[in-house]
Amino acid sequence: MTAATTPTIAAEPVKTQVPGMIIEHNVAVTMSDGLALRVNIYRPDKPGRFPVVMLHGPYGKDTPDAEAPAYQDAWKKLLIKNPELCKTSSCRFIRWEAPDPERWVPDGYVILHADSRGSNASPGLLDPFAPRHTEDYATLISWAAHQPWSSGKVGLLGISYYAINQWQVAARRPEGLAAIIPWEGAFDHYRDVSHHGGIPSTAFQTMWFARQVAINQHGNGETPYRDALTGAVATGTPLPASLLRVNRIEPAEASLRQPFDGAYYHERTPDGARIEVPVLSVGNWGGQGLHGRGNIEGYLAAGSAQKWLRIHTGDHHAPFYAEDSLSLQKRFFDRFLKGEQNGFDSEPPITLAIRRPDGVIWRSESEWPLRGTQWEHYYLDTAGGGLAAGKAPAAAERSYAAQGEGLSFTTAPFTADTEFTGPVKLKLWVKSSTADMDLFATLRLIDPKGHDVTFDGASEPHAPVSQGWLRVSHRRLDAERSTEARPYHPHLVAEPMTPGQAYEVDIEIWATSIVVPRDYRLALTVQGRDWELPGLEGPFKGSGPFLHVGRDAALYGGTNTIASGEGQESYLLLPRIPTSR
């Protein structure tokens, strides 16, 4: 962007004072290439140096949740689930997926919220996952650590995008970074975000970018958003649409140009071994498609000597603001930013919400996969549609139309409550009438009346137990990184199928937790398209927004076949947790 076309933002920051808090608005911070990004600083109205909790992203640091059209449903659910929230805070400063300054500043923290390059008040190229943005974040962290109101210790906090870029910047080890809380994010940019089992997941990327990112692009005169503090257009002086378009890179388009896991994704996936600060990784069992796998992968990959994993369930937004969550976040930062000896070091490394149809039971664990896990093979029977532990049935095979309902395999009713918590693997023997096939595997819970039991997930109110995906031409395994419980595909080349020939494939189904009550059953559905719960209308039908559209109908719309039984054993590997360990 030239000087003549750069939208203008007030050269001097606007200082706004509220009781107990000073707000410095649109402070300019210069990056390594000379570009200035804009930040809001919320700090205690008293002398002293305070630890900094910060976030950096594209959603607009000045757009209130309550006024943003894209967030209205989430805002309503947030208030229903946290009815006291706006009694303990004015809620004026809550931004999407960000901590509320009014609940942090009184406890001696500075909240710093930065508009990332190309968004809201910050000029530049809008490319949310680019390494340049990670470099900017590192610069901001070090800048914050050296300010006169800063103690020199910086922690990172936020949901989703704000969790993803925590992992990325932590691997750069910027000066001042002292602890991170990546809350429902992603870690592996290829496997968690852009491709599932090698299948492009572009529907969500397109929707997310249009509704939540491009609308906040710097210079977007069509934005409906206004700066909550000044009332001005939050994105600066409008630019022509042609200039806006060339000044952004849309993730869905970029990922379609990069079908294999190469340099593009490696630049966006952190080297976990380089992460050395304390980590509290918080995931969601109902986060299939974006917010489940990454928190476990990040926790396992992090080189930090002090790290914790916590997995809850429920929707994506409201739990972050709940009182128990706020207390957890503050205890962690009180320990690692303030140095308080509050016992957090002695917390169990893993805390899990063990799901049941009627709620959850919290439990502490010491290792992943869980200590005492008994791996059980549930064999598919294509002849009768069964799914049973024991030995493989007689050899058989069955075909289905790839874009149809697929095949479902169901267990007998369980005779006692049975828990499965951990990674899940599906091994299949498959054929296709075409040179490739996409496999969509859905693990479901069925009640005694034959109805699906679904769960309120991160982005889907009718989520199944878990899901997994694989493009069969990506079937090759990385022997060093695969385990018996979790296959790892390098996704470096496509190896077409010979029509009619059988192939052995392993599918990673994202880790889960479910207690199957007595008289309930498990079901596995395998098909060539995204799973939908029958009878639902609207955008949420079981797989949320993480759909896999735009695939070649001729290549991925053929007739698929699953083989089972002796010599071609197809099975589901489940992590059973004994009642006494």
Side-chain angles (χ1 to χ4, degrees), residues 142-333:
S142 297
W143 176 87
H146 286 92
Q147 297 312 298
W149 34 257
S150 171
S151 70
K153 289 186 178 293
V154 178
L156 309 182
L157 177 63
I159 316 173
S160 190
Y161 179 89
Y162 295 122
I164 294 169
N165 65 7
Q166 287 182 51
W167 296 113
Q168 293 168 331
V169 75
R172 292 197 175 215
R173 301 178 178 174
E175 181 185 3
L177 183 61
I180 63 173
I181 306 179
W183 193 285
E184 290 197 29
F187 187 82
D188 184 319
H189 197 80
Y190 185 88
R191 292 160 185 79
D192 298 347
V193 180
S194 72
H195 290 70
H196 296 141
I199 308 171
S201 178
T202 55
F204 171 73
Q205 293 180 70
T206 299
M207 180 194 72
W208 168 74
F209 191 78
R211 296 182 71 231
Q212 296 181 246
V213 180
I215 197 170
N216 282 305
Q217 184 177 1
H218 189 64
N220 179 11
E222 300 299 319
T223 181
Y225 300 153
R226 296 295 181 268
D227 188 310
L229 295 178
T230 68
V233 174
T235 52
T237 304
L239 293 175
S242 58
L243 187 55
L244 288 173
R245 184 65 187 87
V246 299
N247 210 35
R248 65 176 181 253
I249 294 177
E250 303 200 12
E253 295 177 2
S255 65
L256 285 175
R257 293 193 294 268
Q258 306 286 340
F260 303 111
D261 185 17
Y264 175 86
Y265 298 104
H266 295 170
E267 288 182 331
R268 290 156 175 79
T269 299
D271 178 357
R274 287 188 50 80
I275 298 173
E276 58 184 6
V277 297
V279 174
L280 173 58
S281 177
V282 183
N284 190 331
W285 293 127
Q288 300 102 292
L290 187 61
H291 294 306
R293 182 182 190 275
N295 282 97
I296 296 173
E297 292 297 303
Y299 167 78
L300 294 174
S304 309
Q306 296 168 298
K307 58 182 181 178
W308 289 265
L309 174 66
R310 180 182 177 88
I311 306 181
H312 57 237
T313 189
D315 79 88
H316 176 58
H317 194 228
F320 179 79
Y321 297 93
E323 287 298 327
D324 58 344
S325 296
L326 182 66
S327 176
L328 175 73
Q329 296 159 13
K330 286 184 178 178
R331 282 192 64 225
F332 181 77
F333 281 150

Side-chain angles (χ1 to χ4, degrees), residues 377-528:
H377 294 71
Y378 278 72
Y379 291 96
L380 281 63
D381 179 5
T382 53
L387 183 65
K391 66 177 184 177
E397 61 180 44
R398 190 175 174 188
S399 300
Y400 62 94
Q403 297 304 310
E405 299 301 316
L407 301 179
S408 290
F409 305 87
T410 309
T411 67
F414 279 70
T415 57
D417 290 7
T418 306
E419 179 189 339
F420 299 101
T421 298
V424 178
K425 183 181 82 170
L426 175 62
K427 180 180 285 291
L428 292 178
W429 285 83
V430 297
K431 303 176 186 178
S432 177
S433 63
T434 67
D436 206 353
M437 64 186 291
D438 285 344
L439 293 165
F440 293 73
T442 304
L443 185 60
R444 302 155 52 202
L445 180 64
I446 310 298
D447 71 14
K449 295 183 179 180
H451 301 141
D452 275 89
V453 178
T454 60
F455 301 88
D456 191 8
S459 302
E460 167 57 65
H462 309 286
V465 173
S466 194
Q467 293 174 296
W469 309 264
L470 181 67
R471 175 157 287 178
V472 176
S473 60
H474 288 231
R475 62 191 174 275
R476 179 174 295 191
L477 292 171
D478 183 326
E480 291 186 1
R481 299 188 68 173
S482 294
T483 68
E484 177 59 25
R486 196 212 64 171
Y488 188 92
H489 301 87
H491 299 293
L492 298 178
V493 296
E495 299 176 88
M497 305 171 70
T498 298
Q501 179 175 319
Y503 294 87
E504 180 183 9
V505 299
D506 291 322
I507 303 168
E508 176 187 4
I509 295 180
W510 284 16
T512 191
S513 176
I514 186 65
V515 174
V516 183
R518 179 180 176 178
D519 296 328
Y520 283 62
R521 296 174 292 156
L522 283 176
L524 171 72
T525 295
V526 181
Q527 53 197 146

Side-chain angles (χ1 to χ4, degrees), residues 306 308 331 335-336 341-351 364-365:
Q306 296 168 298
W308 289 265
R331 282 192 64 225
R335 172 66 188 91
F336 297 110
Q341 299 300 319
N342 59 10
F344 203 98
D345 304 72
S346 300
E347 286 287 322
I350 299 174
T351 306
S364 298
E365 294 287 345

